Amino acid sequence: MAAKIIDGKQVAQTMREEIKQEVEKLKKDNIVPGLGVILVGEDPASQSYVRAKEKACEKIGIYSDDNRLPADTKQDELMAPIKRMNNDPKINGILVQLPLPDHINETDVLLAINPDKDVDGFHPMNIGKMVAGEKTFWPCTPHGVIQLLQRSGVKIEGAEVVIVGRSNIVGKPLANMLIQKAPTGNATVTVCHTRTKDLAFHTKRADILVAAAGKPEMITADMVKEGAVVIDVGVNRVEDPSKEKGYRLTGDVDFEAVKEKASLITPVPGGVGPMTITMLLYNTLESAKKAAGKV
Ligand code: NDP
């Protein structure tokens, strides 16, 4: 039987409405959540992510402080807007768009962000808190995956979850969230990567399979258990002369074949993607509420 499609756009829209209502409530107390965004250089993908983030802020009433810096910005010059926004009460979240140019040390930059404003959840202190199961900002993409599962009625507790990919922004944090003793966790998690000996052996055991490898359509139907929930985080450009742009976007999952075997599946685009920005808005709202003593 063909899988039910998890409509990430719809879930994201519902969550953004919820966030907007909370932002409006705060505004009655003269509190306007603010997000500071820093973009170094002119990478087209980064520019388009930053534009999307700022547009999303505007739509739900979050103030955004936009900082565009040239590609040859020196590390200490990049620290200046971070320091300014660390101390600016109008700013509740600071986001430095990654990747940064090679001459800038990413770890030093992430360490410079005030952990209370680290709405991407990449500051080592917040990563430590997440691993220890303390309340903190959760990184947006893996948090978006958990929201999609929960809001689609998927039981995480006790599930065998297999994650393909161990990056610091998706695989590792997601695995940590899912093993926490919490309603959003209590899963049994396996994390696979390029050194995994028999990938299909693991993926075929998964009740919930998360693909976050960045390899177009690498998860084929024979790698998936009948009735599994399949979450595709991957976003890959593949050449397609029939498209005006000459390419199309595809996930890490062979969607057409896998949807015949899965019980629930996310499409690409329109699955996890819209959730990532939504969780950034969520973290910024939570930060504003905390700063105002409302949580
Ligand atoms: P990275 O390249 O940082 O990590 C990829 C991971 O996948 C690595 O751990 C790598 O293993 C593993 N991997 C790659 N190929 C294979 C393979 N053949 N078999 C098993 N494991 C493999 O990617 P990201 O985590 O940053 O992103 C993953 C994908 O998710 C990308 O397509 C990216 O565009 C997308 N993405 C989407 C977002 C969204 O909002 N929808 C947000 C963030 C990312 P190893 O560690 O051994 O190299």
Side-chain angles (χ1 to χ4, degrees), residues 15-27 31-35 57 60-62 92-93 116 119 137 277-295:
M15 278 201 79
R16 287 186 199 195
E17 267 314 310
E18 293 166 9
I19 296 166
K20 190 173 176 196
Q21 282 173 18
E22 289 218 49
V23 169
E24 278 163 9
K25 252 199 262 167
L26 284 180
K27 283 189 176 165
I31 298 160
V32 182
L35 176 70
C57 282
I60 66 161
I62 291 179
N92 305 104
D116 291 337
V119 285
F137 297 114
I277 295 184
T278 305
M279 300 324 296
L280 176 74
L281 303 172
Y282 173 88
N283 281 349
T284 307
L285 168 68
E286 288 300 302
S287 180
K289 279 166 44 183
K290 194 168 170 223
K294 291 191 183 282
V295 277

Side-chain angles (χ1 to χ4, degrees), residues 49 122 140-142 145 163-172 191-196 199 211-216 218-219 223 232-237 250-252 268 271-277:
Y49 289 139
F122 295 157
C140 300
T141 302
V145 169
I163 303 169
V164 184
R166 57 173 166 186
S167 74
N168 288 340
I169 62 166
V170 189
K172 274 188 214 160
V191 182
C192 300
H193 43 77
T194 55
R195 310 295 165 93
T196 298
L199 183 62
K215 294 284 175 290
M218 67 168 282
I219 304 293
M223 296 169 78
D232 193 352
V233 181
V235 182
N236 309 289
R237 275 187 185 190
T250 184
D252 289 352
V268 177
V272 176
M275 293 302 290
T276 297
I277 295 184

Side-chain angles (χ1 to χ4, degrees), residues 34 52 70 73 91 109 124 157 167 173 195 197 202 210 236 256 286:
T73 299
I91 299 297
V109 171
E157 179 167 322
S167 74
R195 310 295 165 93
K197 275 191 191 146
H202 296 284
V210 182
N236 309 289
E256 288 307 323
E286 288 300 302

Side-chain angles (χ1 to χ4, degrees), residues 22 78 104 107 129 133-134 139 181 197 230 233 241 264 267 272:
E22 289 218 49
L78 169 57
I104 293 178
T107 309
K129 282 187 173 178
E134 287 176 35
K181 211 166 192 176
K197 275 191 191 146
V230 180
V233 181
L264 280 171
V272 176

Side-chain angles (χ1 to χ4, degrees), residues 35-39 50 54 63-68 84-85:
L35 176 70
V37 181
I38 301 177
L39 171 63
V50 163
E54 288 170 346
Y63 157 79
S64 71
D65 185 333
D66 176 17
N67 298 265
R68 310 273 165 132
R84 176 180 62 76
M85 293 193 288

